[in-house]
Amino acid sequence: MGYDISFHPVDMRLAEERVIPFLAGHGRDDDLDDLIADAVRQAKVRFRANAWGLGVRKAYDGSDFDTSLYVWGRPFFVTADDPTIVAETVVRYCNSTVGEVDDLARSQIALLDPALLKHVEPDLNGTLPADEHLAVGFRWKLDLLREAASAVRAGLPTIRNGDGDEISAAGALTGNAQFCLVEFLAALLPGWIERGKAWPTALAEHATTDGGSPFSDNTPLFGSLCTEFPSLNWESNWTIPANYAIGGYAAPSNIRSLRNWLSLNAEPLAAVGDQWDDRPYVRKALRKIDEALALAELTGSAFVEAAEIYIPMQGTMN
């Protein structure tokens, strides 16, 4: 099976102060309502921004427009060249209302080709679900894991999932906490999309590089869960082990050194990826990784690699 991979800045302060305590069963059931509402707003911003990217694609008629970067790569619709400007533009989208998206998207078209401005309209094929349905989509997994944590505390072995099937409470919590955390945080601070095997820890494993890799295993994504539920089997990874999984982690304090390491080792890392996939796309993947790291650096976030947070063929976009 192929991999829909992604590169994510992760707001660890938000994770540790808000989301992980919620998953652990603390506080009230409505404690994340403000974050859910923000995720709904950003979903609508993202949909409108993506429509502009698709509109530019149509205007270019499939030529001279890098869809793997501008549509199925960067979040929203960003055309700047400098990683710092890319990161700043993503933050502007994250903080925008739907009504502000058009002007921001037009500014990106002007960067790409000012002559296109009079020829491009957003491609509005497809519709978004209603706000309440979007909200359910963002929260149902969080609610399920919160229920699982409460069941474990109460000594109950099982819970029922959304289909009514009985599942292991402990297994639901330990097997899904990291993925659900990253998936939800990505609705508030998005990642970059790629496809194939070009996640950084896999490249590093097969390349001869200078300097030690700044990656660690992804235990920090469990936060307090490991200590609150010490009898459970919490498995962490150094790299992406399978589809629908989270891979290597870099702490906020290591983002700058990780960017430097990727720059220093770009050639051996790219050479490994090109051998695997028989196409010279890995340099672009490294560019996307660096842009995601630039956003992590700008926002004081951590970084993780992941698989199947986004699945473009199913309409799951950044």
Side-chain angles (χ1 to χ4, degrees):
M1 184 175 179
Y3 287 90
D4 287 302
I5 58 174
S6 48
F7 316 121
H8 295 270
V10 176
D11 186 338
M12 290 303 294
R13 181 175 180 179
L14 187 62
E16 292 166 353
E17 294 182 358
R18 299 286 308 277
V19 184
I20 293 173
F22 181 87
L23 296 180
H26 301 301
R28 302 190 311 269
D29 289 345
D30 62 357
D31 276 352
L32 297 188
D33 282 2
D34 60 324
L35 299 183
I36 300 295
D38 195 45
V40 170
R41 175 190 60 81
Q42 286 205 45
K44 295 189 288 188
V45 168
R46 184 165 55 248
F47 183 79
R48 185 70 180 180
N50 286 338
W52 278 102
L54 292 170
V56 175
R57 177 193 181 213
K58 184 180 293 184
Y60 267 99
D61 195 25
S63 63
D64 300 321
F65 181 63
D66 189 350
T67 56
S68 67
L69 183 64
Y70 299 131
V71 179
W72 298 291
R74 291 170 173 170
F76 303 110
F77 173 58
V78 182
T79 66
D81 289 326
D82 182 84
T84 299
I85 304 302
V86 171
E88 291 171 351
T89 306
V90 170
V91 170
R92 288 180 64 192
Y93 275 114
C94 288
N95 294 330
S96 292
T97 65
V98 176
E100 294 168 334
V101 171
D102 288 0
D103 285 344
L104 184 49
R106 289 190 183 99
S107 75
Q108 299 306 299
I109 296 172
L111 282 178
L112 189 67
D113 182 354
L116 277 176
L117 281 171
K118 60 184 178 182
H119 300 293
V120 175
E121 293 294 334
D123 184 344
L124 296 177
N125 286 328
T127 57
L128 272 181
D131 287 7
E132 57 267 27
H133 294 144
L134 286 170
V136 170
F138 287 123
R139 75 171 305 139
W140 74 267
K141 294 179 186 177
L142 304 177
D143 289 339
L144 185 68
L145 296 192
R146 179 175 171 85
E147 181 184 352
S150 297
V152 171
R153 287 188 191 280
L156 302 175
T158 63
I159 59 171
R160 292 195 178 275
N161 64 15
D163 296 325
D165 298 325
E166 199 169 79
I167 60 173
S168 164
L173 185 60
T174 60
N176 297 282
Q178 287 186 332
F179 190 89
C180 291
L181 174 68
V182 174
E183 184 179 48
F184 178 63
L185 293 177
L188 305 172
L189 187 66
W192 272 243
I193 291 174
E194 190 50 83
R195 183 162 176 80
K197 299 179 181 178
W199 58 87
T201 57
L203 296 175
E205 184 181 1
H206 293 85
T208 301
T209 58
D210 293 327
S213 169
F215 285 101
S216 69
D217 72 65
N218 53 32
T219 300
L221 295 175
F222 288 127
S224 63
L225 292 172
C226 296
T227 54
E228 292 199 51
F229 301 93
S231 64
L232 302 187
N233 183 24
W234 300 96
E235 294 186 4
S236 57
N237 298 305
W238 286 85
T239 190
I240 296 173
N243 295 103
Y244 295 93
I246 307 301
Y249 171 92
S253 59
N254 285 338
I255 298 302
R256 169 46 55 180
S257 60
L258 178 50
R259 293 190 72 188
N260 291 339
W261 179 84
L262 284 171
S263 177
L264 177 65
N265 294 289
E267 290 304 315
L269 293 171
V272 169
D274 288 346
Q275 290 170 13
W276 283 345
D277 288 88
D278 195 28
R279 57 194 174 101
Y281 88 110
V282 183
R283 284 175 177 78
K284 189 182 299 177
L286 292 173
R287 177 181 184 177
K288 294 178 184 180
I289 294 166
D290 185 60
E291 291 174 355
L293 287 166
L295 181 56
E297 190 169 27
L298 177 65
T299 57
S301 300
F303 173 89
V304 296
E305 54 191 20
E308 279 70 51
I309 294 290
Y310 305 119
I311 307 178
M313 289 294 289
Q314 297 180 9
T316 310
M317 293 290 293
N318 57 345

